[in-house]
Amino acid sequence: MKFQKSLLYFFCAFVGFLLFAKGQYFPLAPQGDSLFKQKIVLNERSEKANIHFTHKNDFFLSERFIEASKKILPFYNSISASVSVVDINNDGWQDFFVPSPSPNSKSHLYINQKDGTFVEKAVEYGLAQLSSPVRAGFFDCDNDGTQEILLTSYKCPSLYQNRGGKYQRIFKFPEPCTFAMGFNILDYDKDGLLDIAIAPFSRTLPNSWHSASNGPGGLMLYKNMGHCKFEADTNHLREPAKHYTHAIGVADLRNLNRQDLWAATDFNRDRIFFQNEDGGYSQAQEVLKKPKAHNGMSVSAAYVTNQKYPSIYISQVYEPGYSIFGNQLWTFDGQQFVDSAKERKINNCGWSWGSKFSDINNDGLVDLVVANGFISTTTGINYWDKIGRFIFASKRYLNNPWNWMSFEGASWSGHQRDCIFMNQGADFVNIAEQIHFDEDLRDGRGLATIDTLNNGKVGFIVANQRQKLSYYQNETESGNNWIGLKLIGTTSNRDAIGASVEAELSNGERKKYSHYPFNGYSAQSDSRIHIGLGKNNLKSIRVKWPHGLNELYTHLKMNQYNTLIESKGKLIETLSY
Amino acid sequence: MKHYRIDLTIPKLGDPRILFLIFTMVFLFLGLRLPSFGGNFFDYCMLAGCCMIFDFILRKMITGEWVFPLSGLTTAFGIFIVCDVIDNIYYLPIAFLAMGSKAFLQIQGRHIFNPGAFAIVISNLGLVHAVSPEAILRWTGDLKLSLFIFLCGLFLAIKVRRWAVVLAFYGVSILVSPTLSLFSPIPPLSYVHNLMWEGIVIMAFFMLTDPKTSPSHMKNQLLYGGFIAILAQYLRFLEFRLPEHTALLVGCLVYAIFRKYSLEKDSAEVWKIKEVHIELF
């Protein structure tokens, strides 16, 4: 009797706590209008827009593999879907390119027809049949007004240039080089020529889930020597450690007018590189407060509120019972980076990949879209159940494919719905289910923003791994004001990458944006800056150009795109570098 | 003027729990020194504080004695190096599970389950959004570390006279695993590698050998260790989460029931304690 009574007390106390914890930490999602007041409309319009692209990645075929690796082929073929938004023909309308790495597949280049539809023209541009392409970055490396392409593949990265209407390879990065999803374009030495930061991600297996030391290499800088010739620059950055890097983000982390780098690292802690006064980089140590999630996938940066420092969003793996910390939102507090993703309710989005901040409803608060899902199948077998059989072992055991469990058609965090986190000021609310976003639960990877109709309604393209591409047209009728900016550098790099913009609104509020379209995961977003103004009017725009000019632009037109040319504004000051 | 006095029971230096405490402190240090571990000493203090307070209060409630909460302190080490929590507030239910199981779930005056193992299993199965066993992956994986923990554990197992439990656990596991490999796609060496991994070594030497929840007679120790080994391998075969720790809980329960109905008297008296009296004023 005493035992039963004790058991009852024990049980009641524990259940009581669980109920308390559920209310505190896992509030049930509110439904309907109480969730988010404004009606957000993001419709999947790929069929209507004439987009018919299915990503194919069977680069790693079973016959090429040793017996041991065959059983985990889905894992090897799991990360290569990317998308690049670019105005390739300089007509002022955004086009996009999606590579497909399978040997017999075709990459697609969609040209914007200015009516919400696209026409596929990869063959015409010489971009249909490339050698195992995984990610493309369009940028103007010689400041001539046309876009060159940095193309990474399962082999060495290459540079392509438009010659007579067709793209041709003009530069191949020297050996040793490897497959890379993570790169960013920046002008770190501020010489007016865009440089490249790149980090490899190999197909070897990690020797640890949290402190892997057998990755393919560290972060590297390639300096633009002019005429689109690049040379490895170990003077500015040298990282001998071997990591698995998924993405490289660029941001002025400490508000010092620098271009700091954040490497989203899988199987280890993220690495942060602060830019020094002389332009070189030093790895920052112990600046993250209690970083527990070690599966960094993408890096996005934004001023989430009117704060001094930008916040860095790192997508991670979230799986109850296994990996419980989820995505992170790091913000510098003057000494350390503090994660506030849980407080802002943006930490849980499954196995997250591409992420992008954008003001969906032009209310002046940047929202967040996250693509997710790793490997989806229909067998009902869950690879998380199998993983416990082999991850609890020594490092030597883990990086040998013989010791991994066979997939046998298993899903691994598959069939997950992408997230749309609407910014409410203090926190965010995920409305993806409410608006039927990502109904097919595809395995999203690269995620880019695109304003197809130049109407200030920013939509999204999600490159899904080995699945159909998702194209979301933003059809939200918010009635809010907005302004779009196309920046053209003259002494700075022509793409104005690295510029920062501050908009002053009629109510005195200031909104800050930085121009790094390659931030995120395996994607290049709309190269124009889009700023939601809410019901306010615009007073002025202040641009800090990468080369140091600080200019003020007034009399700009709201609710349309404005072209700002460096040195054509009212000069406020010239920042020394 | 009224005099107040507290009669407190504290462990002697020769008490094996002191040794346990020293070893687990070393393991905690090994974990904390790694950047990948994530948690810090403050987090541990939170958990240890919760465990010690629950231990102290519940012991007083159940037995009426003030006992120094050494069990709370040692249990906290075991849990901290294994479990991740999404927020430190979850240390409260985990500590309650551990110390509450010790205080409430008793048969014949002895607790049924190893408190640390109980808290680890129940919290990991019941609080999947908030607790995970990922912490142990953050600081393990090195064979040299595994060997070090193995040797520490062996010394402790001998000290508490429970080495036969460990012997049976490892012996039977090694015998059973190749058989199960025949029926599953698990690589044959998986089981062996798993047994050498630090998490299992800690479970085998530091939880399986708990004198309060394991038999003292040699024959019973062999049966107990062997039973847990078979069950653990079977649960692993079934892809059950935390198979070894779950098997340990089932083993503890089976042993407690066996003890209740067995004529054989099993002794758990290996603690060395002394009474101290504190005059308050």
Side-chain angles (χ1 to χ4, degrees), chain A residues 556-568:
Chain A
L556 297 175
K557 290 179 180 164
M558 285 195 309
N559 302 323
Q560 69 176 61
Y561 283 94
N562 297 259
T563 301
L564 306 188
I565 299 172
E566 187 178 19
S567 76
K568 295 282 173 72

Side-chain angles (χ1 to χ4, degrees), chain A residues 162-414:
Chain A
N162 191 336
R163 290 186 171 171
K166 275 190 188 281
Y167 275 91
Q168 292 173 9
R169 189 162 74 185
I170 56 164
F171 180 75
K172 190 178 176 189
F173 284 72
E175 301 273 359
C177 54
T178 179
F179 163 63
M181 298 300 290
F183 68 75
N184 212 311
I185 306 294
L186 71 164
D187 180 11
Y188 64 83
D189 52 4
K190 299 197 176 178
D191 61 354
L193 296 169
L194 285 170
D195 311 301
I196 298 167
I198 193 165
F201 193 99
S202 77
R203 305 283 78 198
T204 55
L205 297 173
N207 60 10
S208 165
W209 290 105
H210 296 281
S211 53
S213 54
N214 66 333
L219 203 148
M220 286 189 72
L221 291 177
Y222 282 92
K223 180 175 164 52
N224 190 338
M225 307 304 290
H227 306 291
C228 296
K229 298 279 182 244
F230 289 85
E231 278 184 11
D233 181 357
T234 50
N235 294 326
H236 281 82
L237 192 153
R238 187 179 177 82
E239 190 191 24
K242 292 175 177 287
H243 289 287
Y244 293 87
T245 310
H246 275 300
I248 302 165
V250 190
D252 184 9
L253 296 172
R254 300 158 297 162
N255 201 24
L256 294 173
N257 198 29
R258 309 258 170 89
Q259 299 174 80
D260 304 315
L261 302 174
W262 192 301
T265 310
D266 209 352
F267 315 118
N268 212 320
R269 298 205 308 173
D270 285 355
R271 296 110 64 208
I272 299 159
F273 298 88
F274 286 150
Q275 191 172 32
N276 307 323
E277 218 167 330
D278 62 0
Y281 286 90
S282 315
Q283 188 164 356
Q285 304 290 339
E286 306 300 327
V287 288
L288 299 183
K289 193 175 177 188
K290 291 172 76 172
K292 281 200 170 180
H294 293 156
N295 315 101
M297 303 291 173
S298 82
V299 189
S300 297
Y303 293 89
V304 174
T305 52
N306 289 331
Q307 59 206 39
K308 184 178 178 187
Y309 304 104
S311 294
I312 306 297
Y313 189 71
I314 307 294
S315 53
Q316 301 268 356
V317 177
Y318 178 86
E319 178 69 23
Y322 293 93
S323 196
I324 55 173
F325 296 102
N327 303 338
Q328 304 158 329
L329 185 75
W330 296 103
T331 311
F332 195 55
D333 69 358
Q335 289 187 325
Q336 265 192 314
F337 289 88
V338 180
D339 175 22
S340 60
K342 193 155 74 74
E343 290 74 27
R344 292 186 183 274
K345 299 176 184 165
I346 48 175
N347 64 319
N348 178 1
C349 185
W351 189 315
S352 303
W353 291 93
S355 60
K356 204 71 203 170
F357 285 103
S358 184
D359 190 350
I360 294 172
N361 54 350
N362 290 327
D363 64 350
L365 296 168
V366 284
D367 311 300
L368 175 66
V369 181
V370 184
N372 65 8
F374 187 34
I375 297 169
S376 296
T377 63
T378 53
T379 57
I381 305 169
N382 185 354
Y383 200 71
W384 282 109
D385 294 336
K386 293 172 178 282
I387 203 166
R389 291 183 176 182
F390 65 88
I391 59 165
F392 297 112
S394 67
K395 288 184 177 182
R396 286 183 191 186
Y397 182 81
L398 197 60
N399 72 340
N400 184 348
W402 273 114
N403 303 323
W404 281 51
M405 292 291 293
S406 175
F407 262 82
E408 294 171 334
S411 273
W412 196 358
S413 286

